[in-house]
Amino acid sequence: MREIEIKNNEAGQRFDKFLKKYLSDASVSFIYKMLRKKNIILNGKKATGSEKLQPGDSVKLFLADETIEKFSGKSFSDVYKTLPHVKLDIIYEDENVLIVNKPVGMLSQKAKPGDVSVVEYVIDYLLREGAVTPEGLATFKPSVCNRLDRNTSGIITAGKSLAGLQKLGELFKNRTVRKYYLCLVHGKVSKPQHISGYLTKNEKTNKVTITPRQKSKDNLPIETEYVPIAYSETVSLLKVHLITGRTHQIRAHLASIGHPLFGDMKYGGDERKSSLKYQMLHSYELLFPEMEPPFEALSKRNIRAPLPETFYRIIKETTWEHGTQEALEVLHSKI
Protein backbone atom coordinates (compact mmCIF):
# COMPACT_ATOMS: atom_id res chain seq x y z
CA MET A 1 0.00 0.00 0.00
CA ARG A 2 1.18 3.53 -0.77
CA GLU A 3 -0.29 6.74 0.65
CA ILE A 4 0.09 10.09 -1.09
CA GLU A 5 -0.73 13.47 0.43
CA ILE A 6 -1.95 16.02 -2.11
CA LYS A 7 0.22 19.15 -2.18
CA ASN A 8 -0.56 22.57 -3.63
CA ASN A 9 0.86 21.65 -7.04
CA GLU A 10 -1.51 18.68 -7.37
CA ALA A 11 -4.60 20.41 -5.96
CA GLY A 12 -7.39 21.79 -8.15
CA GLN A 13 -7.37 18.97 -10.71
CA ARG A 14 -9.68 15.99 -11.13
CA PHE A 15 -8.68 12.88 -9.23
CA ASP A 16 -8.56 10.72 -12.39
CA LYS A 17 -6.25 13.24 -14.09
CA PHE A 18 -3.90 13.05 -11.12
CA LEU A 19 -3.91 9.24 -11.26
CA LYS A 20 -3.16 9.24 -14.99
CA LYS A 21 -0.06 11.31 -14.28
CA TYR A 22 1.04 9.27 -11.28
CA LEU A 23 0.44 5.93 -13.02
CA SER A 24 1.46 7.22 -16.44
CA ASP A 25 2.01 3.80 -18.02
CA ALA A 26 -1.30 2.34 -16.79
CA SER A 27 -4.32 2.16 -19.07
CA VAL A 28 -7.36 4.29 -18.34
CA SER A 29 -9.44 1.15 -17.95
CA PHE A 30 -7.03 -0.18 -15.30
CA ILE A 31 -7.29 3.05 -13.28
CA TYR A 32 -11.10 3.06 -13.33
CA LYS A 33 -11.19 -0.64 -12.49
CA MET A 34 -9.02 0.01 -9.41
CA LEU A 35 -11.34 2.86 -8.40
CA ARG A 36 -14.43 0.65 -8.75
CA LYS A 37 -12.81 -2.15 -6.71
CA LYS A 38 -11.68 0.36 -4.05
CA ASN A 39 -8.03 -0.53 -4.62
CA ILE A 40 -7.56 3.22 -5.01
CA ILE A 41 -9.43 5.42 -2.52
CA LEU A 42 -9.61 9.11 -1.67
CA ASN A 43 -9.78 10.30 1.95
CA GLY A 44 -10.66 6.79 3.07
CA LYS A 45 -13.67 6.48 0.75
CA LYS A 46 -14.52 5.02 -2.63
CA ALA A 47 -14.03 7.58 -5.41
CA THR A 48 -15.28 7.94 -8.97
CA GLY A 49 -12.30 9.93 -10.31
CA SER A 50 -14.30 13.10 -10.94
CA GLU A 51 -13.53 14.62 -7.53
CA LYS A 52 -11.55 17.87 -7.38
CA LEU A 53 -8.44 17.41 -5.25
CA GLN A 54 -7.68 19.72 -2.34
CA PRO A 55 -4.40 20.30 -0.45
CA GLY A 56 -4.08 17.71 2.32
CA ASP A 57 -6.28 15.08 0.63
CA SER A 58 -5.13 11.51 1.21
CA VAL A 59 -4.81 9.07 -1.69
CA LYS A 60 -4.22 5.40 -0.91
CA LEU A 61 -3.12 2.87 -3.50
CA PHE A 62 -3.79 -0.69 -2.35
CA LEU A 63 -1.45 -2.06 -5.01
CA ALA A 64 1.76 -4.07 -4.85
CA ASP A 65 4.93 -1.98 -4.93
CA GLU A 66 5.93 -3.81 -8.11
CA THR A 67 2.67 -2.80 -9.79
CA ILE A 68 3.09 0.84 -8.80
CA GLU A 69 6.68 0.89 -10.08
CA LYS A 70 5.64 -0.84 -13.31
CA PHE A 71 3.01 1.78 -14.10
CA SER A 72 4.93 4.82 -12.84
CA GLY A 73 7.12 5.15 -15.93
CA LYS A 74 10.86 5.73 -16.04
CA SER A 75 12.38 7.07 -12.85
CA PHE A 76 12.96 10.82 -13.02
CA SER A 77 16.20 10.40 -11.10
CA ASP A 78 17.42 8.14 -13.92
CA VAL A 79 16.39 10.67 -16.58
CA TYR A 80 17.95 13.76 -15.02
CA LYS A 81 21.14 12.25 -13.62
CA THR A 82 22.27 11.60 -17.20
CA LEU A 83 21.86 15.24 -18.31
CA PRO A 84 25.04 17.21 -18.96
CA HIS A 85 25.39 19.78 -16.20
CA VAL A 86 24.63 23.25 -17.57
CA LYS A 87 24.82 26.32 -15.35
CA LEU A 88 21.73 28.37 -16.10
CA ASP A 89 22.02 32.16 -16.24
CA ILE A 90 19.25 32.91 -13.74
CA ILE A 91 18.19 36.54 -13.65
CA TYR A 92 15.21 36.23 -11.28
CA GLU A 93 13.86 33.57 -8.93
CA ASP A 94 11.25 33.29 -6.21
CA GLU A 95 9.20 30.38 -4.86
CA ASN A 96 6.86 30.36 -7.87
CA VAL A 97 8.78 31.81 -10.83
CA LEU A 98 12.18 31.33 -12.45
CA ILE A 99 13.48 33.63 -15.21
CA VAL A 100 16.47 32.53 -17.28
CA ASN A 101 18.68 34.23 -19.88
CA LYS A 102 18.68 31.54 -22.58
CA PRO A 103 21.85 31.22 -24.65
CA VAL A 104 21.86 30.84 -28.42
CA GLY A 105 21.61 27.20 -29.49
CA MET A 106 19.43 25.98 -26.62
CA LEU A 107 15.87 24.80 -27.33
CA SER A 108 13.05 26.37 -25.33
CA GLN A 109 11.08 23.11 -25.44
CA LYS A 110 11.64 19.70 -26.96
CA ALA A 111 11.02 19.35 -30.68
CA LYS A 112 11.39 15.55 -30.52
CA PRO A 113 11.63 13.01 -27.64
CA GLY A 114 15.42 12.85 -27.55
CA ASP A 115 15.93 16.61 -27.30
CA VAL A 116 17.18 18.43 -24.21
CA SER A 117 15.69 21.89 -23.70
CA VAL A 118 15.40 24.69 -21.18
CA VAL A 119 12.60 22.68 -19.53
CA GLU A 120 14.93 19.79 -18.72
CA TYR A 121 17.70 22.09 -17.50
CA VAL A 122 15.26 23.99 -15.27
CA ILE A 123 13.98 20.76 -13.72
CA ASP A 124 17.56 19.52 -13.28
CA TYR A 125 18.43 22.79 -11.51
CA LEU A 126 15.38 22.55 -9.24
CA LEU A 127 16.19 18.93 -8.38
CA ARG A 128 19.75 19.89 -7.47
CA GLU A 129 18.49 22.77 -5.33
CA GLY A 130 15.90 20.58 -3.59
CA ALA A 131 13.03 22.77 -4.82
CA VAL A 132 11.32 19.72 -6.36
CA THR A 133 11.59 15.99 -5.78
CA PRO A 134 11.57 13.08 -8.23
CA GLU A 135 8.32 11.90 -6.61
CA GLY A 136 6.68 15.29 -7.04
CA LEU A 137 7.63 15.38 -10.72
CA ALA A 138 5.35 12.42 -11.33
CA THR A 139 2.31 14.69 -11.00
CA PHE A 140 3.64 18.22 -11.64
CA LYS A 141 6.48 19.32 -13.90
CA PRO A 142 7.78 22.89 -13.85
CA SER A 143 7.75 24.24 -17.38
CA VAL A 144 8.46 27.31 -19.51
CA CYS A 145 5.74 29.85 -20.29
CA ASN A 146 7.19 31.56 -23.36
CA ARG A 147 9.29 30.25 -26.22
CA LEU A 148 12.20 31.56 -28.24
CA ASP A 149 13.70 30.19 -31.44
CA ARG A 150 16.75 27.99 -30.83
CA ASN A 151 19.07 30.73 -32.13
CA THR A 152 17.35 33.64 -30.38
CA SER A 153 18.82 34.47 -26.98
CA GLY A 154 17.26 36.08 -23.94
CA ILE A 155 14.44 35.87 -21.46
CA ILE A 156 12.63 32.60 -20.82
CA THR A 157 10.12 32.42 -17.95
CA ALA A 158 9.28 29.22 -16.10
CA GLY A 159 6.71 28.29 -13.48
CA LYS A 160 8.30 26.49 -10.53
CA SER A 161 4.88 25.87 -8.99
CA LEU A 162 1.42 25.31 -10.42
CA ALA A 163 0.45 28.80 -9.25
CA GLY A 164 3.48 30.29 -10.99
CA LEU A 165 2.83 28.38 -14.19
CA GLN A 166 -0.81 29.46 -14.26
CA LYS A 167 -0.06 33.12 -13.49
CA LEU A 168 2.65 33.42 -16.14
CA GLY A 169 0.43 31.67 -18.67
CA GLU A 170 -2.36 34.15 -17.91
CA LEU A 171 -0.03 37.15 -18.30
CA PHE A 172 1.24 36.04 -21.71
CA LYS A 173 -2.21 35.00 -22.95
CA ASN A 174 -3.78 38.33 -21.97
CA ARG A 175 -0.71 40.31 -23.14
CA THR A 176 -0.52 42.11 -19.81
CA VAL A 177 3.23 41.56 -19.64
CA ARG A 178 5.07 43.68 -22.23
CA LYS A 179 7.84 41.95 -24.22
CA TYR A 180 10.77 43.85 -25.71
CA TYR A 181 13.54 42.57 -27.97
CA LEU A 182 16.77 44.05 -29.27
CA CYS A 183 17.83 43.34 -32.84
CA LEU A 184 20.38 44.47 -35.41
CA VAL A 185 18.92 44.94 -38.88
CA HIS A 186 20.24 45.84 -42.30
CA GLY A 187 19.64 49.38 -43.50
CA LYS A 188 18.94 52.72 -41.91
CA VAL A 189 15.89 52.91 -39.67
CA SER A 190 15.58 56.41 -38.26
CA LYS A 191 11.95 56.60 -37.12
CA PRO A 192 9.72 54.60 -34.75
CA GLN A 193 6.96 52.63 -36.43
CA HIS A 194 3.99 50.39 -35.61
CA ILE A 195 3.48 47.79 -38.35
CA SER A 196 0.82 45.16 -38.82
CA GLY A 197 0.03 42.39 -41.27
CA TYR A 198 -0.86 38.71 -41.57
CA LEU A 199 1.43 35.75 -41.04
CA THR A 200 1.17 32.35 -42.73
CA LYS A 201 3.34 29.44 -41.60
CA ASN A 202 4.57 26.64 -43.85
CA GLU A 203 4.81 23.65 -41.53
CA LYS A 204 7.00 21.67 -43.95
CA THR A 205 9.70 24.33 -44.25
CA ASN A 206 9.16 25.94 -40.82
CA LYS A 207 9.16 29.31 -42.54
CA VAL A 208 6.57 32.07 -42.48
CA THR A 209 5.43 34.65 -45.02
CA ILE A 210 3.98 38.08 -44.29
CA THR A 211 1.24 39.84 -46.24
CA PRO A 212 0.18 43.40 -45.36
CA ARG A 213 -3.57 43.16 -46.10
CA GLN A 214 -4.80 39.71 -46.96
CA LYS A 215 -6.83 38.03 -44.23
CA SER A 216 -7.64 34.37 -44.81
CA LYS A 217 -8.46 31.27 -42.81
CA ASP A 218 -4.80 30.18 -43.03
CA ASN A 219 -3.09 33.28 -41.65
CA LEU A 220 -2.91 35.13 -38.36
CA PRO A 221 -2.88 38.87 -37.61
CA ILE A 222 0.40 40.27 -36.28
CA GLU A 223 1.49 43.57 -34.74
CA THR A 224 5.06 44.72 -34.24
CA GLU A 225 6.25 48.06 -32.87
CA TYR A 226 9.84 49.27 -32.96
CA VAL A 227 11.98 52.23 -31.95
CA PRO A 228 15.48 52.87 -33.38
CA ILE A 229 18.08 53.19 -30.62
CA ALA A 230 21.03 53.83 -32.94
CA TYR A 231 21.61 53.73 -36.68
CA SER A 232 24.06 54.28 -39.53
CA GLU A 233 23.59 54.00 -43.28
CA THR A 234 23.94 50.20 -43.22
CA VAL A 235 22.85 48.97 -39.79
CA SER A 236 20.24 49.87 -37.17
CA LEU A 237 19.82 48.80 -33.56
CA LEU A 238 16.11 48.47 -32.79
CA LYS A 239 14.13 47.96 -29.61
CA VAL A 240 11.08 45.96 -30.66
CA HIS A 241 7.81 45.68 -28.75
CA LEU A 242 6.35 42.29 -29.63
CA ILE A 243 2.61 42.90 -29.39
CA THR A 244 1.48 39.56 -30.83
CA GLY A 245 3.76 36.58 -30.46
CA ARG A 246 3.78 34.43 -33.62
CA THR A 247 6.40 32.09 -35.04
CA HIS A 248 9.41 34.06 -36.39
CA GLN A 249 7.30 37.23 -36.19
CA ILE A 250 10.05 39.80 -35.63
CA ARG A 251 12.41 38.16 -38.12
CA ALA A 252 9.87 37.84 -40.94
CA HIS A 253 8.02 41.10 -40.28
CA LEU A 254 11.16 43.25 -40.39
CA ALA A 255 12.45 41.37 -43.44
CA SER A 256 9.13 42.03 -45.19
CA ILE A 257 9.71 45.80 -44.97
CA GLY A 258 13.30 45.56 -46.23
CA HIS A 259 15.19 45.30 -42.92
CA PRO A 260 16.19 41.67 -42.34
CA LEU A 261 18.15 40.81 -39.21
CA PHE A 262 21.90 40.39 -39.39
CA GLY A 263 22.83 36.72 -39.49
CA ASP A 264 19.31 35.55 -40.33
CA MET A 265 19.91 33.23 -43.27
CA LYS A 266 16.31 32.07 -43.35
CA TYR A 267 14.91 35.55 -43.93
CA GLY A 268 17.62 37.13 -46.05
CA GLY A 269 19.90 38.81 -43.54
CA ASP A 270 23.21 37.05 -44.14
CA GLU A 271 24.61 38.72 -47.25
CA ARG A 272 26.83 41.22 -45.43
CA LYS A 273 27.58 39.40 -42.22
CA SER A 274 28.14 35.88 -43.50
CA SER A 275 30.46 35.06 -40.60
CA LEU A 276 27.50 35.21 -38.20
CA LYS A 277 26.02 31.81 -37.36
CA TYR A 278 22.69 33.04 -36.00
CA GLN A 279 20.33 36.01 -36.11
CA MET A 280 21.04 39.08 -34.00
CA LEU A 281 17.84 38.91 -31.96
CA HIS A 282 17.68 39.01 -28.18
CA SER A 283 14.67 38.86 -25.85
CA TYR A 284 15.79 41.76 -23.71
CA GLU A 285 13.09 42.96 -21.32
CA LEU A 286 9.79 42.05 -19.67
CA LEU A 287 7.60 44.68 -17.99
CA PHE A 288 5.19 43.16 -15.49
CA PRO A 289 1.84 44.72 -14.55
CA GLU A 290 0.67 45.38 -11.02
CA MET A 291 0.38 42.00 -9.31
CA GLU A 292 -1.11 40.72 -6.07
CA PRO A 293 0.33 38.18 -3.58
CA PRO A 294 2.02 35.80 -3.94
CA PHE A 295 3.48 37.60 -6.98
CA GLU A 296 4.00 41.04 -5.43
CA ALA A 297 7.79 40.84 -5.92
CA LEU A 298 7.20 41.03 -9.69
CA SER A 299 4.61 43.79 -9.50
CA LYS A 300 5.45 46.60 -11.99
CA ARG A 301 8.96 45.23 -12.25
CA ASN A 302 11.12 45.22 -15.36
CA ILE A 303 13.43 42.25 -15.90
CA ARG A 304 16.33 42.57 -18.34
CA ALA A 305 18.66 39.97 -19.80
CA PRO A 306 22.29 40.92 -20.60
CA LEU A 307 23.30 40.59 -24.25
CA PRO A 308 25.34 37.63 -25.53
CA GLU A 309 28.97 38.32 -26.38
CA THR A 310 28.66 38.52 -30.19
CA PHE A 311 25.68 40.91 -30.04
CA TYR A 312 27.47 43.04 -27.43
CA ARG A 313 30.66 43.20 -29.51
CA ILE A 314 28.92 44.29 -32.73
CA ILE A 315 27.12 47.14 -30.96
CA LYS A 316 30.32 48.28 -29.27
CA GLU A 317 32.44 48.14 -32.45
CA THR A 318 29.93 49.76 -34.84
CA THR A 319 30.40 53.40 -35.81
CA TRP A 320 26.94 54.86 -35.30
CA GLU A 321 25.73 57.91 -37.22
CA HIS A 322 23.11 58.58 -34.55
CA GLY A 323 22.59 57.16 -31.06
CA THR A 324 26.13 56.26 -29.99
CA GLN A 325 25.41 57.09 -26.35
CA GLU A 326 22.09 55.25 -26.46
CA ALA A 327 23.81 52.15 -27.88
CA LEU A 328 26.34 52.22 -25.05
CA GLU A 329 23.53 52.55 -22.53
CA VAL A 330 21.95 49.38 -23.94
CA LEU A 331 25.23 47.56 -23.24
CA HIS A 332 24.86 48.59 -19.60
CA SER A 333 21.10 47.82 -19.50
CA LYS A 334 20.01 51.44 -19.03
CA ILE A 335 17.51 51.53 -21.90
Side-chain angles (χ1 to χ4, degrees):
M1 189 274 287
R2 180 175 297 181
E3 183 171 8
I4 306 159
E5 181 182 349
I6 298 300
K7 308 293 186 184
N8 288 335
N9 285 340
E10 291 89 33
Q13 63 183 310
R14 283 173 54 113
F15 186 28
D16 53 1
K17 186 175 180 181
F18 167 84
L19 292 172
K20 289 170 191 174
K21 292 177 183 175
Y22 195 85
L23 302 172
S24 59
D25 287 352
S27 66
V28 173
S29 60
F30 174 82
I31 290 173
Y32 283 115
K33 180 179 179 182
M34 293 302 99
L35 287 169
R36 288 194 303 271
K37 295 180 70 173
K38 294 198 290 187
N39 287 340
I40 300 176
I41 61 174
L42 177 64
N43 294 326
K45 300 177 182 178
K46 183 177 180 179
T48 64
S50 63
E51 297 83 359
K52 281 289 182 72
L53 296 178
Q54 302 297 324
D57 280 351
S58 169
V59 177
K60 290 183 179 179
L61 309 177
F62 292 97
L63 304 171
D65 288 342
E66 294 81 2
T67 301
I68 295 172
E69 294 303 319
K70 173 184 174 183
F71 289 134
S72 294
K74 190 174 183 180
S75 167
F76 280 99
S77 57
D78 290 341
V79 173
Y80 288 96
K81 73 183 180 183
T82 61
L83 282 181
H85 180 54
V86 171
K87 183 175 176 58
L88 293 174
D89 182 6
I90 297 169
I91 50 182
Y92 176 85
E93 183 176 9
D94 61 30
E95 63 180 3
N96 294 300
V97 172
L98 185 71
I99 302 179
V100 174
N101 187 7
K102 183 187 86 68
V104 166
M106 185 181 287
L107 288 168
S108 298
Q109 291 180 309
K110 287 185 175 186
K112 53 184 184 297
D115 287 339
V116 178
S117 70
V118 175
V119 176
E120 285 68 50
Y121 289 125
V122 163
I123 293 175
D124 178 57
Y125 165 77
L126 295 175
L127 283 168
R128 291 173 186 270
E129 293 294 309
V132 298
T133 64
E135 295 75 23
L137 290 174
T139 52
F140 172 75
K141 291 183 189 177
S143 189
V144 300
C145 300
N146 65 303
R147 291 184 291 178
L148 300 176
D149 296 337
R150 181 197 287 266
N151 288 327
T152 296
S153 57
I155 294 174
I156 288 281
T157 63
K160 290 172 57 176
S161 66
L162 179 60
L165 200 59
Q166 290 174 335
K167 174 54 71 173
L168 288 171
E170 173 191 315
L171 292 174
F172 284 110
K173 181 180 179 181
N174 296 336
R175 302 178 191 170
T176 48
V177 59
R178 293 171 69 90
K179 300 175 285 184
Y180 293 93
Y181 289 67
L182 293 176
C183 63
L184 288 165
V185 302
H186 288 284
K188 181 177 179 178
V189 180
S190 59
K191 295 180 180 179
Q193 194 169 353
H194 184 132
I195 56 178
S196 59
Y198 295 93
L199 179 149
T200 304
K201 183 178 180 181
N202 185 321
E203 296 291 346
K204 291 183 179 180
T205 62
N206 191 33
K207 190 172 181 179
V208 304
T209 55
I210 308 295
T211 54
R213 304 180 192 84
Q214 193 175 337
K215 181 72 179 83
S216 75
K217 62 182 179 64
D218 297 320
N219 61 29
L220 296 167
I222 57 171
E223 288 185 78
T224 309
E225 189 175 47
Y226 61 82
V227 175
I229 294 172
Y231 57 82
S232 68
E233 289 297 324
T234 58
V235 57
S236 299
L237 171 62
L238 306 183
K239 186 173 183 178
V240 181
H241 176 205
L242 188 64
I243 299 172
T244 54
R246 313 296 188 192
T247 302
H248 300 175
Q249 178 178 322
I250 293 174
R251 298 164 62 187
H253 213 178
L254 290 171
S256 74
I257 61 169
H259 297 291
L261 274 63
F262 278 104
D264 193 349
M265 292 181 285
K266 180 166 281 192
Y267 294 101
D270 64 323
E271 69 277 5
R272 297 183 189 177
K273 289 281 184 181
S274 57
S275 62
L276 294 175
K277 305 300 183 184
Y278 54 88
Q279 66 268 6
M280 292 294 100
L281 180 63
H282 180 70
S283 177
Y284 173 65
E285 184 177 34
L286 290 182
L287 294 181
F288 286 89
E290 185 172 355
M291 298 170 70
E292 297 179 351
F295 304 103
E296 64 271 24
L298 280 172
S299 186
K300 296 186 176 180
R301 184 164 179 172
N302 67 319
I303 302 290
R304 288 174 176 164
L307 288 163
E309 181 181 353
T310 301
F311 206 130
Y312 183 101
R313 177 177 51 79
I314 293 174
I315 293 175
K316 190 173 182 180
E317 294 177 357
T318 297
T319 300
W320 300 103
E321 172 189 324
H322 174 84
T324 301
Q325 183 59 40
E326 288 82 355
L328 292 175
E329 288 179 356
V330 161
L331 299 182
H332 297 93
S333 295
K334 294 180 181 179
I335 289 182

